[in-house]
Amino acid sequence: MIGRLNHVAIAVSDLEAATRTYRDTLGARVSAPLSLPDHGVVTVFVELPNTKIELLAPLGEESPIAKFLARNPDGGIHHLCYEVDDILAARDRLAGEGARVLGNGEPKIGAHGKPVLFLHPKDFCGTLVELEEA
Amino acid sequence: MIGRLNHVAIAVSDLEAATRTYRDTLGARVSAPLSLPDHGVVTVFVELPNTKIELLAPLGEESPIAKFLARNPDGGIHHLCYEVDDILAARDRLAGEGARVLGNGEPKIGAHGKPVLFLHPKDFCGTLVELEEA
């Protein structure tokens, strides 16, 4: 069912410092920062030949990554995003297997403008998993 | 400098359960388990179209992932591995940028039979980074 690893999301408190780490220290190609107020984050994409790292910093009072950063002040890997062909079929298969989909089970439009769902970390090896319709 | 994301390593206590999660629930192609006594882990590869997830379970008393699992009993993402063309040149560049290479700074032969180094999480957005010579 799952296809490509679309991205690895790393939450950081200081986006400029994280950008310098990936651009200058690790020598990767990075995008300009992009504010996504609807998602409560500012993001910088690190473009690798086969996938992306997304550096996420909080935007606004209600950022969904604020609690994670309070627990992990140095930053850390926040989630993995796998692509699926059909997000509703994926959701129904997962529900049939007893896995927990977060929220109300209806896909939302994610940061890339495509339908996404998040899955409960306790059902996926302690890892928050995002599914994105490719 | 960094090239492809070679793999995402997820540490798990129960390798059979994690394999079922990726194979049966997420519908991915997984390898047979491979014991790597020199590295203190048993590993199952999840083969995605563009990269790999490596499920790691502890092997033996001195497993390098034992402490991580004590802190994260549900499992969790342990490290990211980026490919580099020349691991000694990479190390020297990183040292010049003030980043900390773990251990004595000399590459070891990693789980794929290639030279690897690990970098300090505090210098890389709270993420343990492995570099592997491609």
Side-chain angles (χ1 to χ4, degrees), chain A residues 8-13 41 54-58 62-80 121 126-128, chain B residues 72 76-77 124-127:
Chain A
V8 178
I10 300 179
V12 300
S13 300
V41 293
E54 292 191 11
L55 303 174
L56 303 177
E62 304 280 314
S63 175
I65 61 171
K67 276 186 193 168
F68 179 90
L69 286 169
R71 286 195 309 271
N72 302 278
D74 293 326
I77 299 173
H78 185 264
H79 66 265
L80 299 181
T127 302
L128 179 62
Chain B
N72 301 278
I77 299 172
F124 294 92
C125 309
T127 303

Side-chain angles (χ1 to χ4, degrees), chain A residues 4-87:
Chain A
R4 297 175 73 255
L5 177 70
N6 184 277
H7 62 267
V8 178
I10 300 179
V12 300
S13 300
D14 183 339
L15 190 59
E16 286 187 28
T19 301
R20 284 196 300 273
T21 296
Y22 270 84
R23 184 190 59 210
D24 301 338
T25 308
L26 290 171
R29 192 165 64 165
V30 303
S31 74
L34 180 67
S35 290
L36 298 167
D38 289 353
H39 295 276
V41 293
V42 186
T43 182
V44 163
F45 300 100
V46 179
E47 294 160 20
L48 302 178
N50 60 332
T51 190
K52 292 189 296 284
I53 307 297
E54 292 191 11
L55 303 174
L56 303 177
L59 178 66
E61 300 289 311
E62 304 280 314
S63 175
I65 61 171
K67 276 186 193 168
F68 179 90
L69 286 169
R71 286 195 309 271
N72 302 278
D74 293 326
I77 299 173
H78 185 264
H79 66 265
L80 299 181
C81 177
Y82 299 121
E83 296 178 1
V84 294
D85 288 334
D86 180 333
I87 200 148

Side-chain angles (χ1 to χ4, degrees), chain A residues 1 22 27 50 74 82 122, chain B residues 1 22 27 50 74 82 122:
Chain A
M1 183 176 74
Y22 270 84
N50 60 332
D74 293 326
Y82 299 121
K122 281 195 182 282
Chain B
M1 182 175 76
Y22 269 85
N50 60 333
D74 293 325
Y82 300 121
K122 280 194 181 283

Side-chain angles (χ1 to χ4, degrees), chain B residues 40 44 49 57 63 92 104 110:
Chain B
V44 163
S63 175
D92 294 346
N104 65 2

